[in-house]
Amino acid sequence: MEYILGKESHRILIVDDEQVVREVLSDFLTSENFVVEAVSNGEQAIKELSRSHFDVVLTDLKMTGITGIDLLKEIKEKKLDTMVIIMTGYGTVDSAVEAIKLGAFDYIMKPFKVDELLQIIRRAINQQQLERENIRLKEVMNLYELSEAVNRSLDLENVLRIMADTVIKELGADVVSVFLEEPAEFETQIIEQFIYPESALSESDGYGSINQEKLYQAFKTKPYLILSSAQLKRYFKTLPEKRGLSSLLTVPLRIKDQIVGVVCVYSYRRNYRFSEGQAKLLIILADRAAQAIENARLYQNLRRTFRETIEGLVSALEAKDKYTSGHSRRVTEYALLIARAIGLPQEEQEKIEWAGLLHDIGKIGIRLEALNKPGKITKQEHEMFKDHTTMGKQILEQIHFLREIVPLIYHHHEWYDGSGYPTGIKAEQIPLGARILAIADAYDAMTSDRPYRKALTQEEAIKELRRCSGTQFDPNLVEVFI
């Protein structure tokens, strides 16, 4: 990609302690349509760089005080978007080569022809344009990857972690802090703070206390704030104590034009200041994250409703049968012990949790008084009891978000040797979750009082599990549970 110089005014800073060099280069480069500033030493150069942007710094290598190498290091430390060209005499050519290793674009030997220097400047600016295009492409790709990642995640903390990790990488920040406040449509007003990376959590008190009201007021007229250390007092209730905060960039998180939080990006690099371009990138990141946060919160509300629905169904079942009060919750607890011990993913553990709570839901349609009599139940009553797995399947199949746990509930009375019900499948044909529930269900039944017998001791129940291992129960899971 070739960029034609002279069509736009690129800015060049000349740093040289020889006045004649400064004057000759200034006149020549100005005639080539560059905007030129010239200073006599490194200290003045640093001041100019802090005030204005320069596309190219053309610096002498050997100067009193701050040398060309020192200036180069300062530019690289502050991550300035500036190409550095070193001017040097024959005696310091090794130092010029070292400057290239440190990040200088090129060097030119004194005395030189101005046309040769112009060619180097042209190449430097072309390289700079290419790097800027690559950075923009990289930002677009990272935004796309961020959007994909947060859209796949419905876990609020994971959404915040993805966003914060992207901010750390793209903005070169030291710490990201996110303050969230529940919007009005949610049930409670809860303010929470998320700090990234995790290593900063132990020092979270040192990041000060943001005055959210002041920030919200500022965000009515400003899309972002870039604050230096001298400006922090206005927007903090208690000032940051951790090291010396050089720059704070903060943008609002908005959901449906309502501010629900702020993203604060901290930098502790000496004399560093976040740029306008970084602020605009953070606004885009925050916008993507806010959409994902809203989705995550809506999903949390849905899950809350989901759990309340399940708890309601379990309570209805237990209200009908006093002898099994608490049974479903204990079965769930035992089943989760097995699921965690064999390393099932969190998603599978959740299915087992819901299935454990609802495994006996089919009993709602059975006359339990006949089954809770002190004496032995008849064959007809036993067949009626066996219907509860089929009835549970029929009930839950009508609820879309419970369909995935139906096989676990339908098959939790299958036997490992194939002699169980309702379908007589065996071994690995039985869903893993159903095999886990079978052990948890039997253990709780054995260790609970029933109208027709007293509860077994733990030792007696374990002995019974081992006796039925390989026939009624999966032998590997029995040993895991024990």
Side-chain angles (χ1 to χ4, degrees):
M1 186 182 297
E2 182 72 16
Y3 292 88
I4 301 174
L5 300 181
K7 297 298 182 182
E8 59 174 299
S9 297
H10 295 279
R11 295 175 57 81
I12 297 180
L13 177 63
I14 299 169
V15 189
D16 199 297
D17 52 10
E18 295 185 50
Q19 184 176 351
V20 65
V21 173
R22 295 196 305 271
E23 290 176 352
V24 169
L25 290 178
S26 294
D27 290 344
F28 174 73
L29 294 174
T30 300
S31 70
E32 292 293 327
N33 203 36
F34 291 105
V35 175
V36 180
E37 293 288 339
V39 295
S40 62
N41 56 60
E43 289 83 354
Q44 291 178 336
I46 290 173
K47 289 180 181 178
E48 286 296 326
L49 287 166
S50 67
R51 285 197 292 258
S52 305
H53 167 73
F54 291 92
D55 298 289
V56 176
V57 170
L58 184 60
T59 179
D60 190 17
L61 182 61
K62 198 171 182 180
M63 299 182 292
T64 56
I66 294 177
T67 67
I69 293 289
D70 295 332
L71 183 57
L72 173 63
K73 289 179 179 178
E74 182 78 12
I75 288 170
K76 296 305 172 185
E77 182 183 342
K78 291 185 176 181
K79 296 184 177 181
L80 300 180
D81 180 21
T82 300
M83 307 299 281
V84 179
I85 298 172
I86 299 291
M87 298 182 293
T88 182
Y90 286 104
T92 55
V93 67
D94 289 340
S95 298
V97 172
E98 183 64 26
I100 299 295
K101 294 178 182 178
L102 291 172
F105 174 74
D106 205 346
Y107 70 92
I108 188 167
M109 304 289 292
K110 290 182 178 180
F112 51 79
K113 295 178 180 179
V114 288
D115 287 340
E116 292 176 356
L117 176 61
L118 183 59
Q119 289 302 315
I120 295 176
I121 292 174
R122 286 181 186 278
R123 288 192 290 107
I125 292 178
N126 281 334
Q127 179 66 28
Q128 185 181 58
Q129 298 281 26
L130 287 171
E131 289 178 2
R132 287 173 180 172
E133 290 297 326
N134 287 337
I135 289 171
R136 281 193 285 269
L137 178 60
K138 184 169 176 280
E139 288 176 352
V140 169
M141 290 303 298
N142 284 333
L143 286 175
Y144 174 76
E145 290 172 5
L146 173 70
S147 297
E148 288 293 297
V150 297
N151 286 338
R152 286 194 301 268
S153 178
L154 289 171
D155 178 80
L156 179 58
E157 187 169 337
N158 191 47
V159 168
L160 293 174
R161 185 175 291 107
I162 292 170
M163 181 193 69
D165 186 53
T166 304
V167 170
I168 292 280
K169 290 177 181 176
E170 297 306 312
L171 275 65
D174 294 309
V175 175
V176 176
S177 178
V178 183
F179 297 87
L180 284 181
E181 184 174 351
E182 293 281 7
E185 63 262 30
F186 294 103
E187 294 178 1
T188 54
Q189 293 288 317
I190 301 173
I191 295 177
E192 54 185 310
Q193 183 178 12
F194 174 87
I195 294 177
Y196 188 89
E198 282 81 358
S199 57
L201 283 170
S202 60
E203 304 173 0
S204 59
D205 290 342
Y207 298 109
S209 176
I210 291 282
N211 189 327
Q212 285 183 289
E213 290 183 9
K214 289 279 184 71
L215 282 180
Y216 288 5
Q217 190 67 30
F219 289 145
K220 288 181 179 179
T221 57
K222 300 176 182 178
Y224 60 85
L225 290 173
I226 300 175
L227 305 176
S228 63
S229 55
Q231 299 170 304
L232 295 177
K233 188 174 182 180
R234 181 179 177 185
Y235 294 99
F236 276 79
K237 294 178 182 177
T238 57
L239 289 172
E241 299 173 1
K242 184 179 181 296
R243 303 198 300 273
L245 180 58
S246 296
S247 187
L248 175 74
L249 168 60
T250 179
V251 304
L253 285 165
R254 299 180 188 271
I255 295 177
K256 298 175 182 176
D257 294 326
Q258 180 183 356
I259 297 177
V260 298
V262 292
V263 182
C264 297
V265 183
Y266 298 74
S267 177
Y268 295 94
R269 279 178 285 163
R270 188 169 57 88
N271 298 326
Y272 182 77
R273 185 180 187 276
F274 288 110
S275 68
E276 309 293 319
Q278 289 173 317
K280 291 173 183 176
L281 175 60
L282 184 59
I283 288 172
I284 297 173
L285 294 174
D287 181 61
R288 300 292 191 279
Q291 295 172 32
I293 289 167
E294 181 182 25
N295 290 339
R297 280 175 159 166
L298 290 172
Y299 180 67
Q300 285 180 341
N301 277 0
L302 181 62
R303 283 180 60 82
R304 189 184 303 124
T305 303
F306 179 35
R307 175 173 285 279
E308 289 170 355
T309 300
I310 290 177
E311 294 284 352
L313 290 170
V314 172
S315 296
L317 174 63
E318 293 184 346
K320 185 178 180 183
D321 182 13
K322 64 180 181 179
Y323 290 103
T324 58
S325 179
H327 168 69
S328 295
R329 291 173 174 82
R330 291 192 299 272
V331 167
T332 301
E333 182 180 345
Y334 298 143
L336 286 175
L337 286 175
I338 301 173
R340 292 175 189 134
I342 64 175
L344 284 186
Q346 185 62 37
E347 183 180 349
E348 296 302 313
Q349 290 185 35
E350 286 187 359
K351 291 178 185 177
I352 287 173
E353 180 181 5
W354 306 134
L357 289 170
L358 293 171
H359 75 283
D360 277 343
I361 194 65
K363 289 182 180 178
I364 284 180
I366 294 176
R367 290 174 44 246
L368 294 178
E369 64 273 10
L371 303 180
N372 289 333
K373 62 184 182 180
K376 187 177 180 180
I377 64 173
T378 66
K379 183 178 180 180
Q380 182 182 4
E381 288 168 341
H382 185 251
E383 290 300 320
M384 179 178 66
F385 171 78
K386 287 165 63 175
D387 285 343
H388 81 280
T389 57
T390 301
M391 296 190 74
K393 176 175 180 286
Q394 291 171 349
I395 291 170
L396 298 180
E397 278 181 335
Q398 308 305 312
I399 306 173
H400 178 76
F401 59 83
L402 294 176
R403 286 179 183 173
E404 286 191 336
I405 67 172
V406 168
L408 281 63
I409 292 168
Y410 186 52
H411 294 293
H412 79 276
H413 278 293
E414 305 284 3
W415 281 32
Y416 197 72
D417 65 2
S419 59
Y421 65 88
T423 61
I425 57 176
K426 63 180 180 180
E428 303 296 322
Q429 295 174 332
I430 306 169
L432 175 59
R435 281 179 273 147
I436 291 173
L437 286 176
I439 296 170
D441 186 30
Y443 179 79
D444 187 67
M446 289 188 288
T447 54
S448 300
D449 286 331
R450 288 293 186 266
Y452 46 87
R453 62 153 175 80
K454 286 290 185 182
L456 301 184
T457 65
Q458 182 178 345
E459 292 74 17
E460 290 170 332
I462 287 174
K463 184 178 179 181
E464 189 67 12
L465 285 176
R466 284 209 165 107
R467 185 183 71 81
C468 298
S469 178
T471 54
Q472 184 174 353
F473 307 117
D474 182 326
N476 294 325
L477 294 178
V478 166
E479 291 308 312
V480 168
F481 180 57
I482 291 172

